[in-house]
Amino acid sequence: MKGTAMNETSNLSKFYKKNREERLSLLRDKRFLTQEAMAYFLENNLLTDEIADHLIENQVGQFPLPLGVALNFIVNGKDVVVPMVVEEPSVVAACSNAARYVRKTGGFKAVSGERLQTGQLIFYDLTDVDYAKNYLEENKAEIIALADQIHPSIVRRGGGTQEVVIEIIKDKQGVSQYLTVYLHIDVQEAMGANIVNTILEGLQPILADWLKAKPLLSILSNYNDQTLTTATCEIQVSDLATTTLSGSLVAEKIIRASDYASLDTYRAVTHNKGIMNGIDSVVIATGNDFRAVEAAAHAFASRTGRYRAMSQWQLSNDGKYLQGSLTLPMLIGSLGGAVSVLPIAKLSQELMKTSSSKEMANIIVSVGLAQNFAALRALVTEGIQKGHMSLHANALAIHAGAAGEEINQVAEQLRQKDNMTLETAHQLLEALRDAKKPNELPQ
């Protein structure tokens, strides 16, 4: 027993120095992988080891997700094909369908403001916090000049530190405890994390010496409230009618559902998750940091002190149009990091026909608004499950073991069932295969 436990240890020395096949062999030898699993990892890869090892430590394989395209989009007068990476059925279809409604009224309108990445320098153990704050206020120009000297290349590209904000941060007892210096930096087309952190780490010892204070942290903030993108759209109320509901009633219910999401946190979370279904899918496809985008979006939804719906819906003054609006922090990059390393990210930019980070942000927030409309419309009419489960039938068929033409055949039969389950998929597949067996001749 003791020998088995030792053999299965995850304490693997110098693992990072081995190549991928050696890592997999070691995991197999330590009984964490079967030979079959090892073979799968070795044989199923889109990226070269050179690229994959650059992106992650201890790389042993790759996790594929499907990339689809949402159609029908017009953003700021330009037709757009939108790449989306997601594993959830109905996201791409719902997004494409929503864009079709908006297309009739000219498409989405979107605007992005300044692209400023925010960094923080945090100090503590100051003799006089108020004096230190005033001192830095008087020397903002010098701080900006120093920051530009630390990273001159971003200045040459037209960027650099644009603003310095100094804040006193109090502890839970209301006592002034920290002095925080916020730098708002124009990072041009890059995501900007390395640029910002380089500037911050260069400034930290200088400001610490000025203040005779202890530095706590120097780090970028993912709350990019200095980089906001707004997307708006209009949908003809008459187009919202169903066989049982008038367009005006559907519009009213969508507006009420949106308003309710700002009153109830339980609903707001799911309302906003639907928006992020669309946004994250495009962010991933373009090689950007979806975790940073998620964190900033949810923080922005809580900026009033209460977590609320990210989007707003209302009727136009003449009552003919349902109008939607979505504003979110959207600092994404068109180059640098994984964007420049992943071939699929570059191809996604080609699909979108843009290499502008602002234009990409406009498209991404428009997708979020489209996804929100699709979800709200489904919820207030036929319900969310009808379309979702229809597409889920394919996944159930595959899970049951269907292959090739069997997938569509089993999925189509599943859609006719009142109760769509994996067990039913197994039964349908078995019946399908039995029906294809040649009739046995009598003995």
Side-chain angles (χ1 to χ4, degrees):
M1 183 68 70
K2 184 176 179 181
T4 300
M6 289 296 291
N7 193 45
E8 294 180 357
T9 182
S10 62
N11 183 16
L12 305 175
S13 178
K14 308 294 185 183
F15 190 78
Y16 69 98
K17 289 189 174 182
K18 301 180 185 300
N19 62 39
R20 188 162 65 97
E21 186 168 358
E22 290 170 339
R23 292 172 193 152
L24 287 165
S25 296
L26 187 54
L27 291 172
R28 178 200 58 199
D29 295 343
K30 296 296 181 182
R31 301 183 185 178
F32 290 103
L33 283 178
T34 63
Q35 182 64 37
E36 292 75 17
M38 176 180 169
Y40 181 88
F41 277 122
L42 288 172
E43 294 167 8
N44 293 274
N45 301 281
L46 287 174
L47 299 176
T48 64
D49 282 348
E50 182 182 11
I51 291 175
D53 284 335
H54 176 78
L55 293 171
I56 192 173
E57 301 80 21
N58 295 344
Q59 190 253 147
V60 296
Q62 294 154 40
F63 190 100
L65 287 172
L67 185 149
V69 291
L71 304 176
N72 304 319
F73 272 86
I74 296 176
V75 180
N76 292 338
K78 177 182 175 181
D79 266 272
V80 180
V81 171
V82 184
M84 303 179 76
V85 171
V86 65
E87 85 296 345
E88 183 177 337
S90 80
V91 170
V92 176
C95 200
S96 298
N97 189 45
R100 182 173 56 83
Y101 282 87
V102 181
R103 188 180 185 87
K104 292 183 179 181
T105 60
F108 295 88
K109 308 295 188 296
V111 61
S112 294
E114 291 183 291
R115 291 190 74 254
L116 299 180
Q117 176 74 274
T118 298
Q120 293 179 282
L121 289 160
I122 305 169
F123 301 95
Y124 71 106
D125 201 14
L126 295 102
T127 303
D128 188 330
V129 179
D130 292 313
Y131 174 81
K133 181 179 186 297
N134 290 333
Y135 180 82
L136 293 183
E137 292 280 2
E138 293 171 359
N139 289 276
K140 283 184 178 180
E142 178 67 13
I143 295 171
I144 292 174
L146 287 168
D148 288 347
Q149 290 172 25
I150 291 166
H151 207 303
S153 64
I154 191 63
V155 179
R156 288 195 296 270
R157 297 201 298 271
T161 302
Q162 305 298 305
E163 185 181 13
V164 176
V165 178
I166 297 102
E167 297 283 352
I168 294 172
I169 306 298
K170 297 180 178 181
D171 62 17
K172 295 176 182 178
Q173 286 72 44
V175 178
S176 297
Q177 189 72 262
Y178 302 98
L179 187 67
T180 301
V181 182
Y182 298 87
L183 271 67
H184 300 309
I185 303 170
D186 181 350
V187 294
Q188 295 291 288
E189 290 298 318
M191 286 185 281
N194 291 333
I195 295 169
V196 173
N197 288 333
T198 297
I199 293 172
L200 294 174
E201 291 178 6
L203 277 176
Q204 185 188 71
I206 299 172
L207 299 193
D209 182 60
W210 285 5
L211 301 173
K212 305 305 178 189
K214 294 178 180 177
L216 179 63
L217 298 173
S218 59
I219 186 66
L220 68 85
S221 170
N222 289 123
Y223 185 36
N224 300 306
D225 62 341
Q226 303 295 310
T227 306
L228 299 179
T229 297
T230 298
T232 59
C233 70
E234 287 189 331
I235 297 160
Q236 292 180 18
V237 169
S238 57
D239 284 343
L240 298 174
T242 70
T243 54
T244 58
L245 299 172
S246 68
S248 59
L249 180 55
V250 174
E252 178 191 340
K253 293 181 76 173
I254 287 174
I255 293 167
R256 285 185 175 274
S258 178
D259 289 345
Y260 182 83
S262 285
L263 302 173
D264 179 1
T265 301
Y266 282 88
R267 175 59 202 144
V269 170
T270 310
H271 177 99
N272 292 342
K273 187 267 182 185
I275 291 171
M276 301 312 293
N277 273 349
I279 287 175
D280 285 349
S281 299
V282 189
V283 173
I284 294 170
T286 57
N288 277 277
D289 187 347
F290 74 94
R291 299 163 302 276
V293 170
E294 276 270 356
H298 293 297
F300 194 71
S302 306
R303 66 192 182 281
T304 63
R306 179 174 180 175
Y307 187 79
R308 298 177 182 275
M310 295 173 181
S311 63
Q312 293 80 42
W313 293 90
Q314 63 183 27
L315 278 180
S316 61
N317 291 333
D318 59 11
K320 293 182 179 179
Y321 298 97
L322 175 68
Q323 298 174 324
S325 176
L326 174 63
T327 298
L328 286 175
M330 194 53 59
L331 201 154
I332 48 95
S334 63
L335 52 81
V339 176
S340 297
V341 174
L342 289 172
I344 200 88
K346 297 176 184 177
L347 294 174
S348 290
Q349 286 189 26
E350 285 186 26
L351 274 170
M352 298 166 80
K353 289 192 172 181
T354 182
S355 58
S356 161
S357 55
K358 282 192 175 183
E359 193 171 3
M360 286 170 60
N362 290 340
I363 294 168
I364 290 169
V365 177
S366 297
V367 168
L369 188 57
Q371 206 74 48
N372 184 230
F373 167 71
L376 290 175
R377 179 182 174 276
L379 283 167
V380 302
T381 55
E382 76 269 17
I384 204 76
Q385 284 298 86
K386 182 179 179 182
H388 180 80
M389 291 306 291
S390 178
L391 289 167
H392 187 55
N394 285 35
L396 282 175
I398 295 169
H399 194 183
E405 294 181 356
E406 294 176 338
I407 297 172
N408 285 332
Q409 292 170 337
V410 172
E412 188 57 39
Q413 292 182 57
L414 273 173
R415 294 186 184 102
Q416 311 306 316
K417 300 292 183 182
D418 293 331
N419 192 14
M420 195 184 298
T421 65
L422 179 60
E423 182 181 357
T424 304
H426 277 296
Q427 293 170 354
L428 291 172
L429 179 60
E430 186 177 348
L432 178 65
R433 288 176 174 174
D434 285 344
K436 290 181 178 180
K437 290 178 181 178
N439 294 327
E440 293 185 4
L441 297 174
Q443 298 293 322

